[in-house]
Amino acid sequence: MHVSFGVALLAAVLAGFIGAMSGLGGGVVLTPVLTLFGYDIKHAIALSALTVIATSSGSAAAYVRDRITNIRIGMFLEMFTIIGALIGATITLSAAKRPLFIAFGLVLLFSWATSFFQKPRTSYHPATPDRISRWLALKGEYYDLAERRSIPYHATNAIWGGLILFCAGVIAGLLGIGAGAVKVLAMDRVMGLPPKVSTTTSNFIIGVTALAGTSVYLASGLIDSGLAGPTVLGVLGGSFLATRLLVRLSNRTVRTFFLFVFLLIGIQMIIRGIGGYV
């Protein structure tokens, strides 16, 4: 079913709003919203991947300017995520629609479970670098305005981190999302990076990873050029509206909103996949 300009714009604004409120970006919400309007899931995934590039670019540039993002670590991990994204997008081209719905639902439930069960670290203790991380000089330092001091750090478990980021790349390419939850989890818990460095470096990686997946969808003709503009603008507009509202809400309210929405969307995507309501 073809989606009109107005419907695509409305769906994108809604996706951008929910994505910004949850902190996971509009891409992870856009595909479920578009498919609810009857849009083909593969075309929705392709459009979603395109919006991920647009939404991550601005914030990534800001974090690089503030010297929080570790570009060296980001470029090392991008080697894994790009290959994964190319493989994931290629799988989507030949995959049946029902498994894609189920996979999307499972990823959303994983994001929900990660937020629900994981307790954020209140302090950072530098990791002991392994041989490969030391050889690659995967280290850095940034100034933390909250603590008013410079925080040096060194990555560890570089290969394990790369393998997990490869899996995140497959997920990103397969579903047209940023897969930021997996990337942050790997850098934070496996590679031992400070939370702020993990988050900002993940954002830096997301755009490049999405570009790799989008190239596959573009070459296959899955991206509707007539809907690309309103979709990108809608997600950016919805994200802007959410940021205006976000500062007025408590952390507990935002977390409750995230948990409710992603649990609801994840379950309905799995039900639609299993039941064949695609």
Side-chain angles (χ1 to χ4, degrees):
M1 175 181 175
H2 180 73
V3 174
S4 66
F5 181 99
V7 170
L9 182 62
L10 177 63
V13 170
L14 181 62
F17 182 83
I18 296 175
M21 285 288 289
S22 66
L24 292 180
V28 77
V29 186
L30 182 61
T31 295
V33 172
L34 283 176
T35 57
L36 284 175
F37 285 101
Y39 200 55
D40 178 77
I41 187 170
K42 292 188 179 182
H43 287 81
I45 287 173
L47 279 177
S48 176
L50 186 65
T51 65
V52 171
I53 300 173
T55 54
S56 67
S57 298
S59 56
Y63 292 138
V64 170
R65 184 189 63 232
D66 293 339
R67 298 183 179 181
I68 303 177
T69 301
N70 190 304
I71 298 178
R72 189 182 187 90
I73 294 177
M75 294 183 70
F76 167 72
L77 295 175
E78 281 172 357
M79 295 189 299
F80 297 90
T81 61
I82 289 173
I83 296 173
L86 293 173
I87 294 173
T90 303
I91 293 173
T92 296
L93 296 182
S94 57
K97 295 179 182 179
R98 291 176 63 178
L100 292 176
F101 274 87
I102 295 173
F104 215 109
L106 291 175
V107 169
L108 288 172
L109 291 183
F110 170 79
S111 299
W112 173 87
T114 300
S115 178
F116 186 81
F117 293 107
Q118 180 181 340
K119 294 182 179 180
R121 289 192 295 179
T122 56
S123 60
Y124 169 72
H125 301 286
T128 302
D130 64 308
R131 184 182 303 175
I132 296 178
S133 300
R134 187 182 297 109
W135 178 63
L136 293 172
L138 301 181
K139 60 182 179 179
E141 183 176 342
Y142 76 98
Y143 185 79
D144 194 306
L145 291 174
E147 298 189 20
R148 297 182 179 180
R149 66 184 180 94
S150 294
I151 299 180
Y153 58 88
H154 205 306
T156 189
N157 297 322
I159 297 302
W160 281 110
L163 291 175
I164 296 175
L165 266 289
F166 167 79
C167 295
V170 173
I171 295 172
L174 183 72
L175 303 176
I177 62 177
V182 181
K183 293 182 176 74
V184 171
L185 188 65
M187 286 185 277
D188 185 33
R189 302 292 174 167
V190 177
M191 299 183 69
L193 298 177
K196 290 183 180 180
V197 176
S198 298
T199 302
T200 55
T201 304
S202 170
N203 202 285
F204 174 76
I205 296 171
I206 282 173
V208 179
T209 306
L211 180 61
T214 302
S215 66
V216 176
Y217 295 129
L218 186 62
S220 65
L222 279 180
I223 296 179
D224 188 336
S225 58
L227 297 181
T231 302
V232 171
L233 290 176
V235 169
L236 291 173
S239 301
F240 176 76
L241 292 175
T243 55
R244 303 286 290 186
L245 177 62
L246 197 64
V247 295
R248 303 175 183 273
L249 301 176
S250 65
N251 289 330
R252 183 175 181 180
T253 301
V254 173
R255 186 172 184 272
T256 301
F257 175 84
F258 160 75
L259 292 174
F260 172 76
V261 170
F262 278 80
L263 181 63
L264 180 65
I265 297 177
I267 291 175
Q268 70 91 14
M269 288 291 280
I270 292 175
I271 292 175
R272 291 172 67 189
I274 295 176
Y277 307 110
V278 299

